[in-house]
């Protein structure tokens, strides 16, 4: 997933989280996944007696555009799982199997030929959009063109290997992919041609940016006007200042329980604008069923004792980090960037986030247990493989060496409690280092796109990244490659603006190695991680865990390691 503006859980250092083992969910190490795989086993049968009711979700803020080919947040990627479909999908189950890729709008996994460069899919018949129009191969072709026309955040990293993508990236409006994505209406097939084999391509086809929408969809960000869907739910209304309402798609008929199972609630009401305190209270009182945001510090004790059976804790393949803009002062100076990495007390950030029950210090871009991760910590006092302590003296010396002391630094964070508290800590730290630091809290509805756009001249931002799929490239190539840097765009996921031709060449070499030697590629990615940390365009802070707090009305809680809680599979009746 994705993808960011993701959520964590907050606790005070003095608050003990005593969630019982029975209340916790856990899963095996995602690092064991070696690539897209298929499975013939299905998920449990639909239980009609639990169908019905309205599921009530709450969040402090909406997550911006509801366009599935544009939005890049967990908040909506979770919902899109029960709304939109691609040729392939990640299996809608819990545990390690949720990393398994299965056929969705395609009848079977693709026929791969031409040395891994040609993928041929047969399209399912009888699938209908929520507007009543039948799905056709033209819709599939147009949807791949649309990825480029709307400047999807991953157009240049996930789909740039499609034949013709280079031209589409240069002039999106005229994108045709005429030799890259070819539909045959008579045979009901879609053929995708790549310029080179890509062992991660099936993963990339299974995330929301590759879903199929009607061919007449607007060729710009649809924003608050939801597009017709093929899954069990469709959007009835969306006001990012107030609420989102999902209702059943009257044209949906379950074609694959693995890829797109029938949903249980009749409606899903998602309201915005509450405080996290009121969200917790609403769940405890049965007025809401689940909260997207982090439970506040002063409520974790009661959640962990009185409401322990309603709390679900899951480790995440993710990291929270600070971005340092390498293209403007003061962080266009490597010594200044390295100073921040040396200065940050990651244990303090862990405490602010929720304590050691809910996070651990991060030293690398790739999280522990993830493909390519190496136990190494370049910025810890005394050296070593794990973080021990900050070295403020070394940091101050580097600031002095850089000649940047006294410069102004703006720190852009989301305006919820956990992000603001970490932002305030960073502000205090930069002041200690001799900078004139100011905190700029923004609504989570706009912060993520704001910090991506170079026009806003963001020097330092607090953000986070949670996997799209289990491959090292999904962190390093997506977040820090030249292809992910798009000046002047809200979809420039390389927020630091880091573009190093040498590092890029190493990334391309690792991608090529992965075609035949995944273990070898993972070693290359681990080395790239170390090289990137030497340049210090980002400051890894923590690796988080997540708490899902649900009401007593909720049953059938299932946690996908790929997309987190399966919203449409919850029982509320």
């Amino acid at each position: 997933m994705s993808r960011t503006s993701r959520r964590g859980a907050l606790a005070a250092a003095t608050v003990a989280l005593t969630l019982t083992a029975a209340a916790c969910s856990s899963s095996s190490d995602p690092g064991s996944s070696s690539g897209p795989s298929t499975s013939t086993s299905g998920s449990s049968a639909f239980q009609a007696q639990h169908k019905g009711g309205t599921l009530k979700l709450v969040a402090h803020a909406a997550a911006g555009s509801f366009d599935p080919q544009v939005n890049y947040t967990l908040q909506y990627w979770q919902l899109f799982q029960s709304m939109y479909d691609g040729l392939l999908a990640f299996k809608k189950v819990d545990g390690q199997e949720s990393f398994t890729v299965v056929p969705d709008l395609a009848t079977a996994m693709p026929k791969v030929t031409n040395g891994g460069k040609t993928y041929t899919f047969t399209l399912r018949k009888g699938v209908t959009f929520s507007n009543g129009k039948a799905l056709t191969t033209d819709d599939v072709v147009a949807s791949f063109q649309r990825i480029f026309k709307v400047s999807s955040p991953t157009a240049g990293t996930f789909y740039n290997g499609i034949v013709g993508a280079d031209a589409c990236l240069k002039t999106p409006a005229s994108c045709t992919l005429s030799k890259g994505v070819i539909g045959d209406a008579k045979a009901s097939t879609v053929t995708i041609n790549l310029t080179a084999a890509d062992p991660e391509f099936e993963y990339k086809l299974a995330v929301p940016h590759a879903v199929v929408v009607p061919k007449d969809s607007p060729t710009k960000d649809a924003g608050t006007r939801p597009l017709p869907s093929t899954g069990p739910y469709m959007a009835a209304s969306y006001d990012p200042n107030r609420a989102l309402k999902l209702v059943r798609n009257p044209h949906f008929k379950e074609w694959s329980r693995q890829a797109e199972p029938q949903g249980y609630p009749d409606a899903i009401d998602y309201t915005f604008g509450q405080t996290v305190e009121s969200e917790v209270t609403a769940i405890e009182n049965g007025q809401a069923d689940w909260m997207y945001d982090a439970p506040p510090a002063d409520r974790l004790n009661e959640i962990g004792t009185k409401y322990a059976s309603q709390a679900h804790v899951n480790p995440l393949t993710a990291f929270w980090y600070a971005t340092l803009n390498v293209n403007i002062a003061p962080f266009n100076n490597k010594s200044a960037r390295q100073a921040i990495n040396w200065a940050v007390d990651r244990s303090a950030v862990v405490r602010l986030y929720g304590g050691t029950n809910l996070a651990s210090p991060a030293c690398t871009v790739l999280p522990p247990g993830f493909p390519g991760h190496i136990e190494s910590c370049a910025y810890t006092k005394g050296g070593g493989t794990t973080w021990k302590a900050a070295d403020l003296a070394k940091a101050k010396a580097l600031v002095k060496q850089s000649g940047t002391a006294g410069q102004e630094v703006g720190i852009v964070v989301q305006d919820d409690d956990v992000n603001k508290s970490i932002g305030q800590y960073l502000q205090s730290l930069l002041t200690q280092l001799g900078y004139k630091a100011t905190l700029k809290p923004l609504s989570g509805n706009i912060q993520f796109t704001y910090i991506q756009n170079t026009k806003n001249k963001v020097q330092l931002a607090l953000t986070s990244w949670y996997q799209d799929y289990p491959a090292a490239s999904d962190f390093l190539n997506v977040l820090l490659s030249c292809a992910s840097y798009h000046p002047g765009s809200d979809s420039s996921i390389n927020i630091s603006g880091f573009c190093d031709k040498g590092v890029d060449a190493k990334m391309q070499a690792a991608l090529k190695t992965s075609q035949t030697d995944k273990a070898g590629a993972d070693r290359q990615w681990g080395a790239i991680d170390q090289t990137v940390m030497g340049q210090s365009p980002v400051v890894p802070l923590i690796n988080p865990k997540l708490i899902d707090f649900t009401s007593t009305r909720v049953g059938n809680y299932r946690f996908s390691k790929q997309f987190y809680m399966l919203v449409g599979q919850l029982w509320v009746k």
Side-chain angles (χ1 to χ4, degrees), residues 51-100:
K51 181 181 178 182
T54 297
L55 180 66
K56 298 178 181 178
L57 314 178
V58 288
H60 175 65
S65 170
F66 206 67
D67 191 321
Q69 293 190 311
V70 173
N71 188 279
Y72 209 2
T73 70
L74 169 65
Q75 189 168 352
Y76 288 167
W77 275 36
Q78 277 185 296
L79 300 182
F80 292 159
Q81 300 313 301
S82 294
M83 298 181 65
Y84 296 99
D85 298 278
L87 293 169
L88 304 177
F90 284 94
K91 198 173 180 181
K92 304 301 189 298
V93 294
D94 47 19
Q96 191 68 21
E97 269 198 280
S98 60
F99 285 141
T100 303

Side-chain angles (χ1 to χ4, degrees), residues 77 90 158-159 203-211 468-469 563:
W77 275 36
F90 284 94
F158 284 12
Y159 311 106
Y203 282 148
K204 297 169 183 176
L205 294 179
V207 299
H209 289 165
V211 298
D468 293 299
Y469 52 80
F563 291 115

Side-chain angles (χ1 to χ4, degrees), residues 262-326:
Q262 175 67 276
Y264 283 101
D266 283 338
I268 300 172
D269 288 348
Y270 207 152
T271 57
F272 313 119
Q274 295 193 37
T275 66
V276 288
E277 288 280 357
S278 65
E279 290 174 34
V280 173
T281 300
I283 291 171
E284 292 177 351
N285 294 339
Q287 298 166 318
D289 298 311
W290 174 81
M291 59 186 291
Y292 174 79
D293 303 290
D298 61 353
R299 306 299 290 274
L300 276 183
N301 190 51
E302 66 189 80
I303 291 173
T305 53
K306 188 176 179 180
Y307 300 95
S309 64
Q310 295 167 232
H312 314 266
V313 181
N314 297 277
L316 305 175
T317 45
F319 82 136
W320 282 47
Y321 66 106
T323 65
L324 305 176
N325 192 328
V326 304

Side-chain angles (χ1 to χ4, degrees), residues 431-491:
T431 299
Q432 277 186 273
L433 293 176
Y435 295 109
K436 297 175 181 177
T438 55
L439 190 64
K440 301 179 180 180
L442 296 177
S443 167
N445 191 38
I446 62 171
Q447 190 258 5
F448 186 52
T449 52
Y450 181 90
I451 64 177
Q452 292 182 69
N453 198 317
T454 56
K455 293 178 182 177
N456 297 320
K457 294 180 169 55
V458 175
Q459 295 158 293
L460 191 157
L462 176 64
T463 189
S464 53
W465 189 255
Y466 296 59
Q467 68 160 67
D468 293 299
Y469 52 80
S473 62
D474 184 50
F475 279 75
L476 291 162
N477 189 48
V478 171
L479 296 180
L480 294 162
S481 69
C482 297
S484 290
Y485 180 52
H486 307 289
S489 167
D490 284 349
S491 297

Side-chain angles (χ1 to χ4, degrees), residues 85-89 101-111 119-125 127 135 137 140 144 188-192 205 210 212 230 255-256 258-260:
D85 298 278
L87 293 169
L88 304 177
V101 175
V102 296
D104 191 358
L105 294 178
T107 59
M109 295 300 288
K111 179 181 179 182
Y119 288 69
T120 304
F121 300 86
T122 299
L123 199 62
R124 290 186 191 274
K125 296 180 180 179
V127 178
L135 172 78
T137 56
V140 179
F144 277 94
S188 292
T189 60
V190 174
T191 300
I192 301 177
L205 294 179
V212 177
T230 48
W255 58 79
S256 168
Q258 294 182 6
E260 189 63 286

Side-chain angles (χ1 to χ4, degrees), residues 369-534:
F370 204 69
H373 173 79
I374 293 175
E375 287 295 326
S376 174
C377 202
Y379 301 99
T380 187
K381 195 169 187 177
T385 58
T386 58
W387 193 84
K388 302 182 190 72
D391 194 330
L392 203 56
K394 184 170 286 190
K396 288 181 177 179
L398 284 166
V399 171
K400 184 177 181 180
Q401 175 184 315
S402 71
T404 60
Q407 294 187 19
E408 295 183 356
V409 178
I411 302 169
V412 183
V413 302
Q414 291 187 28
D415 64 357
D416 59 275
D417 291 345
V418 65
N419 278 275
K420 280 200 298 185
S421 66
I422 297 174
Q424 287 163 354
Y425 163 72
L426 293 172
Q427 179 186 15
S428 174
L429 181 66
L430 264 70
T431 299
Q432 277 186 273
L433 293 176
Y435 295 109
K436 297 175 181 177
T438 55
L439 190 64
K440 301 179 180 180
L442 296 177
S443 167
N445 191 38
I446 62 171
Q447 190 258 5
F448 186 52
T449 52
Y450 181 90
I451 64 177
Q452 292 182 69
N453 198 317
T454 56
K455 293 178 182 177
N456 297 320
K457 294 180 169 55
V458 175
Q459 295 158 293
L460 191 157
L462 176 64
T463 189
S464 53
W465 189 255
Y466 296 59
Q467 68 160 67
D468 293 299
Y469 52 80
S473 62
D474 184 50
F475 279 75
L476 291 162
N477 189 48
V478 171
L479 296 180
L480 294 162
S481 69
C482 297
S484 290
Y485 180 52
H486 307 289
S489 167
D490 284 349
S491 297
S492 184
I493 198 63
N494 183 344
I495 300 165
S496 297
F498 178 75
C499 178
D500 184 298
K501 298 298 184 183
V503 171
D504 249 40
K506 291 178 180 178
M507 290 186 187
Q508 291 304 313
L511 288 168
K512 186 173 182 179
T513 300
S514 68
Q515 297 173 18
T516 56
D517 179 8
K518 186 174 186 303
D522 286 345
R523 288 191 293 272
Q524 288 176 274
W525 285 115
I528 292 167
D529 197 349
Q530 303 307 298
T531 300
V532 166
M533 288 310 303

